[in-house]
Amino acid sequence: MIQLEEIEIQLLLEGIYRYYGFDFRNYAMASLKRRIWNIIRSEKLNSVSGLLEKVLHQPECMERLLLGLSVNVTSMFRDPSFYLAFRKTVIPLLRTYPFIRIWHAGCSTGEEVYSLAILLYEENLYHRCRIYGTDINEVALRKAKTGIYPLDSIRNYSQNYFESGGKHSLSDYYTAAYDNAIIRSFLKENIIFSAHNLVTDASFNEFNVILCRNVLIYFNQELQARVHKLLYDSLRIFGVLGLGRQETLKMTPHEYCYEELDIQEKIYRKIA
């Protein structure tokens, strides 16, 4: 027998999809339920149905819910070993291209996009790159566009930068202003931040590199397969795909369309 809470959650997700167009219906239920209840408590409500009523009648509540449901865990040079592997395995391939298009899907507030820009700058490739950072969350994207982060946080990323193979000092890439760190303007020149929903939106370009790291783990198997098709369709032949450590191509429709460049860091190249 279906529990009442499950019915309420299904109605909430269906209402959000029909009224606002955001589709969370195929997200992994365990983590989704946990985040929904965190939002219910923060809104001082007692039930999922109460949240549904508030979301449908108060758009500002929907904005807060979107912040709570979309995952915004990020940092500069997150998983430094991934960036180190990227320098060793992907950079030599990118040197062969006259122009490089990169898509960072699910970029959140932008720290990892700027990390990649720094890496490409140090490898003397940034001037021929265009990086597209996309996310479902408009609030996160607005922060990403400013390139302004708490100074204490940025300082804490210096170790990540060093472990990623950084060639200078992280402080070379931002200006300290009071309690903020402002990413230097030259790193923003080749970056475009824009809204894109991996669940409902189509491919918008053809890319040499796609990074979609630590996003798919929040989707169920059906939705993962759908997103993998979108990533495959958006990647040029011999293009590079980077996933998160807990993510995999195994048991997906495109498992055999890629070769492994670094199995531990989940870096693949499209070969078919």
Side-chain angles (χ1 to χ4, degrees):
M1 182 176 179
I2 299 177
Q3 294 184 351
L4 179 60
E5 181 190 43
E6 186 176 335
I7 295 173
E8 287 184 302
I9 289 176
Q10 290 173 356
L11 289 172
L12 172 66
L13 301 180
E14 189 67 30
I16 291 170
Y17 174 65
R18 291 193 181 191
Y19 195 68
Y20 292 102
F22 295 107
D23 194 352
F24 293 97
R25 295 173 298 176
N26 286 306
Y27 276 50
M29 185 51 64
S31 62
L32 187 65
K33 185 185 297 185
R34 187 166 55 250
R35 281 176 276 158
I36 286 172
W37 275 104
N38 287 338
I39 296 164
I40 290 170
R41 285 188 286 269
S42 69
E43 295 290 332
K44 297 181 171 53
L45 299 170
N46 299 312
S47 68
V48 179
S49 294
L51 179 61
L52 173 59
E53 180 181 7
K54 192 171 183 180
V55 162
L56 292 181
H57 293 279
Q58 299 182 24
E60 62 274 15
C61 180
M62 179 60 207
E63 189 168 276
R64 294 192 296 271
L65 181 140
L66 191 58
L67 273 173
L69 291 187
S70 54
V71 181
N72 297 298
V73 178
T74 185
S75 63
M76 293 198 77
F77 295 96
R78 182 184 184 187
D79 301 325
S81 57
F82 172 83
Y83 291 91
L84 190 61
F86 192 95
R87 288 183 191 267
K88 292 179 178 178
T89 62
V90 180
I91 290 298
L93 301 176
L94 298 185
R95 293 195 191 284
T96 65
Y97 297 126
F99 187 76
I100 305 159
R101 287 190 182 90
I102 299 172
W103 180 17
H104 198 302
C107 70
S108 187
T109 47
E111 287 93 330
E112 293 174 69
V113 177
Y114 290 119
S115 301
L116 184 61
I118 290 169
L119 186 156
L120 292 164
Y121 176 79
E122 292 186 346
E123 299 296 337
N124 197 31
L125 285 174
Y126 184 63
H127 63 285
R128 47 183 154 126
C129 292
R130 179 63 53 86
I131 305 175
Y132 297 81
T134 67
D135 201 273
I136 189 177
N137 191 324
E138 294 275 9
V139 176
L141 286 170
R142 286 198 292 270
K143 182 173 182 180
K145 289 175 183 177
T146 68
I148 300 174
Y149 303 102
L151 185 58
D152 288 344
S153 297
I154 293 288
R155 285 172 174 163
N156 289 335
Y157 300 150
S158 292
Q159 184 63 28
N160 283 3
Y161 167 74
F162 175 75
E163 292 177 5
S164 75
K167 298 181 178 181
H168 302 289
S169 168
L170 187 57
S171 61
D172 293 338
Y173 301 106
Y174 65 83
T175 301
Y178 299 102
D179 294 327
N180 291 320
I182 305 170
I183 299 296
R184 293 191 182 275
S185 59
F186 72 87
L187 286 175
K188 300 179 182 179
E189 291 176 356
N190 297 340
I191 298 174
I192 297 173
F193 288 108
S194 61
H196 183 275
N197 190 331
L198 285 169
V199 178
T200 58
D201 293 342
S203 175
F204 62 95
N205 213 323
E206 192 176 49
F207 298 94
N208 305 104
V209 177
I210 297 178
L211 302 185
C212 185
R213 305 189 66 245
N214 307 303
V215 177
L216 293 167
I217 53 174
Y218 297 102
F219 300 160
N220 67 16
Q221 191 169 359
E222 176 189 343
L223 187 51
Q224 286 184 22
R226 195 190 314 170
V227 174
H228 270 300
K229 182 180 186 306
L230 172 64
L231 301 179
Y232 175 84
D233 291 343
S234 301
L235 193 62
R236 294 188 65 180
I237 190 70
F238 303 125
V240 173
L241 174 66
L243 302 177
R245 283 187 177 177
Q246 303 305 314
E247 297 163 339
T248 181
L249 284 170
K250 293 187 184 302
M251 307 301 291
T252 71
H254 299 93
E255 177 180 359
Y256 300 105
C257 298
Y258 297 87
E259 65 176 358
E260 297 168 350
L261 296 181
D262 190 307
I263 184 57
Q264 183 174 348
E265 299 301 334
K266 304 299 175 67
I267 300 175
Y268 306 90
R269 180 163 63 170
K270 180 177 175 178
I271 57 172

